[in-house]
Amino acid sequence: MTLTLHSAWRASAPYRVRIGLNLKGVAYDYVPVDLVAGQQRSEAYHALNAQNLVPSLVLEDGRVLTQSLSILEWLEETRPEPPLLPKNPLDRQAVRAMALLVACDIHPLNNLRILKALSGLGLDEPARNAWVHRWINDGFVALEPMVARYSRGYAFGDTPTIADVCIVPQVYNASRFGVDMAPYPAIAAAAARAGEHPAIAAAHPNNQPDAAK
Amino acid sequence: MTLTLHSAWRASAPYRVRIGLNLKGVAYDYVPVDLVAGQQRSEAYHALNAQNLVPSLVLEDGRVLTQSLSILEWLEETRPEPPLLPKNPLDRQAVRAMALLVACDIHPLNNLRILKALSGLGLDEPARNAWVHRWINDGFVALEPMVARYSRGYAFGDTPTIADVCIVPQVYNASRFGVDMAPYPAIAAAAARAGEHPAIAAAHPNNQPDAAK
């Protein structure tokens, strides 16, 4: 089956799906969506994704999957090896809680459409940066003890899970915005360890065809 | 096992967990957290939930579960009947995509901490209401065709799923803020149908011990 991923190199949500596909060893075609140029609002892209957001994963029969975490759960259910969730239900709850803390309570507050909306409300760049720092720090303060509790190399245990799938792009994003990671040694260590995994390294923004030169 | 849910009557995320617990027939003790008075930032509550967010679900052994959608997945895995997800992986993906559209791309942008932050940036009430309307409409425009495609009474099919668990509180929230539901007949119909289910009706904000008189 040939999958086609509509992606943007620096955006967190497609970065998560690239990590998941790579960890599962699933090949896919890459179609870049230029978010800065507004390509996500084109008629062609809107027909794929009515939210005008990336990613969209198109299956061979044309079916379009949206929402990164639901794509990752589908990957886990249809391609169980290697597992991206532990076996025990309470452990799975903890992994999903770490993933959702990032995916619900940090990332949506800071993505491109929100920064544009804040700009439209008259917030200048320093004020927008302060907004981004606030929500990343707010989330990382709560995430740090969870990673410290569960990590044995990766964010949970000693193999990659959907927690790493969400944390690695969020730490990349924090670095773009100059967030000081010194208060978050467990998160920083887990993200660094995960970043060395070949499948995760291959998903890095700089390794995508649409990366800025 | 006695579960204790730290909840707030009008907040979306604990409303989701109440619906899930009720649908699964799981009894729980209810501890109100007064968000308007700032009780979520108290030392006692912070020790339960480092994000200072509701809900927190405390198990009999003292273990604390956070993040509503990960609690719902845990409920589904540990108490499979009645199922809140369909069997087919692509159907499960669709249900989770609807749930996550609400839980990631609408609700976090409009909750109390964000409205307070916007107020701190100088936005008056009409501007804050416009912000809330914008993101609800933005999400509902994309959710409407999904519900229209999959609904046979409930948001997906003819029994409640985690899509309804997320949509019912979001429609309640939209109503609080005076969002016109006329453009979203499929969402409105599914939420109305779900709201008649006794387990879902029992989870309604007005039926909670901390509801305003």
Side-chain angles (χ1 to χ4, degrees):
Chain A
M1 180 162 66
T2 303
L3 302 177
T4 303
L5 181 66
H6 295 258
S7 174
W9 64 294
R10 281 197 300 191
S12 282
Y15 189 176
R16 292 175 200 150
V17 175
R18 293 195 304 264
I19 293 174
L21 290 166
N22 290 354
L23 285 168
K24 296 289 191 181
V26 178
Y28 59 94
D29 292 333
Y30 187 103
V31 177
V33 181
D34 186 337
L35 301 182
V36 176
Q39 216 178 337
Q40 72 278 23
R41 292 186 298 276
S42 68
E43 214 174 304
Y45 190 75
H46 183 78
L48 285 182
N49 187 314
Q51 289 192 274
N52 302 336
L53 294 174
V54 282
S56 303
L57 185 67
V58 184
L59 309 189
E60 203 166 25
D61 66 0
R63 186 174 177 127
V64 184
L65 311 188
T66 61
Q67 290 292 337
S68 59
L69 279 177
S70 66
I71 293 172
L72 290 158
E73 295 274 358
W74 169 78
L75 270 177
E76 180 73 1
E77 291 176 354
T78 56
R79 294 156 180 85
E81 296 298 330
L84 299 184
L85 285 168
K87 293 218 180 304
N88 177 285
L90 279 173
D91 290 343
R92 295 163 72 88
Q93 195 279 329
V95 168
R96 288 188 175 113
M98 291 194 272
L100 288 161
L101 187 156
V102 171
C104 293
D105 294 333
I106 302 177
H107 170 250
L109 301 168
N110 297 333
N111 67 8
L112 185 64
R113 65 177 189 159
I114 300 302
L115 298 182
K116 282 194 171 172
L118 292 172
S119 180
L121 291 169
L123 264 71
D124 61 11
E125 197 179 335
R128 296 197 301 272
N129 283 342
W131 173 276
V132 168
H133 280 232
R134 173 173 180 173
W135 304 118
I136 292 177
N137 281 310
D138 210 74
F140 278 4
V141 161
L143 182 62
E144 174 68 14
M146 299 171 81
V147 177
R149 173 176 177 182
Y150 292 116
S151 179
R152 294 199 319 277
Y154 289 90
F156 185 101
D158 55 7
T159 56
T161 66
I162 62 165
D164 304 283
V165 166
C166 289
I167 290 170
V168 166
Q170 187 58 63
V171 169
Y172 168 81
N173 178 275
S175 156
R176 265 181 76 194
F177 283 94
V179 171
D180 177 15
M181 290 297 292
Y184 316 117
I187 298 173
R193 172 69 188 82
E196 292 166 7
H197 190 299
I200 299 177
H204 191 281
N206 292 346
N207 298 327
Q208 306 317 305
D210 53 335
K213 300 303 168 210
Chain B
M1 180 161 67
T2 304
L3 302 176
T4 304
L5 181 67
H6 295 257
S7 173
W9 65 294
R10 281 198 300 190
S12 282
Y15 189 177
R16 292 175 201 151
V17 175
R18 295 195 304 264
I19 293 174
L21 290 166
N22 291 354
L23 285 169
K24 296 288 191 183
V26 178
Y28 59 94
D29 292 334
Y30 188 101
V31 177
V33 181
D34 187 337
L35 301 183
V36 176
Q39 217 179 336
Q40 71 279 21
R41 292 185 298 276
S42 68
E43 214 174 305
Y45 191 75
H46 183 78
L48 285 182
N49 186 315
Q51 288 192 275
N52 303 335
L53 294 174
V54 282
S56 302
L57 184 68
V58 184
L59 309 189
E60 203 165 24
D61 66 1
R63 185 174 178 128
V64 184
L65 311 188
T66 62
Q67 290 293 337
S68 59
L69 279 178
S70 66
I71 293 172
L72 290 158
E73 295 274 358
W74 168 80
L75 270 177
E76 180 73 0
E77 291 176 353
T78 55
R79 295 156 180 85
E81 296 297 329
L84 299 183
L85 285 169
K87 292 217 181 305
N88 176 285
L90 279 174
D91 290 343
R92 295 163 73 87
Q93 195 278 330
V95 167
R96 289 188 175 113
M98 291 194 273
L100 289 161
L101 187 157
V102 170
C104 294
D105 295 332
I106 302 178
H107 170 250
L109 301 168
N110 296 334
N111 67 8
L112 186 63
R113 66 178 187 156
I114 300 302
L115 298 181
K116 281 193 173 174
L118 292 172
S119 180
L121 291 170
L123 264 70
D124 60 12
E125 197 179 334
R128 294 197 302 273
N129 283 341
W131 173 277
V132 167
H133 279 233
R134 174 173 179 172
W135 303 119
I136 292 176
N137 282 311
D138 210 73
F140 279 4
V141 161
L143 183 61
E144 173 69 15
M146 299 171 82
V147 177
R149 173 178 177 181
Y150 292 115
S151 178
R152 293 199 320 276
Y154 288 90
F156 185 102
D158 55 7
T159 57
T161 64
I162 62 165
D164 303 285
V165 166
C166 290
I167 290 171
V168 166
Q170 187 58 63
V171 169
Y172 168 81
N173 178 275
S175 155
R176 265 182 75 195
F177 282 94
V179 171
D180 177 15
M181 289 297 290
Y184 315 117
I187 298 173
R193 172 69 189 83
E196 292 166 8
H197 189 299
I200 299 177
H204 191 281
N206 292 346
N207 297 328
Q208 306 317 305
D210 54 335
K213 301 301 169 210

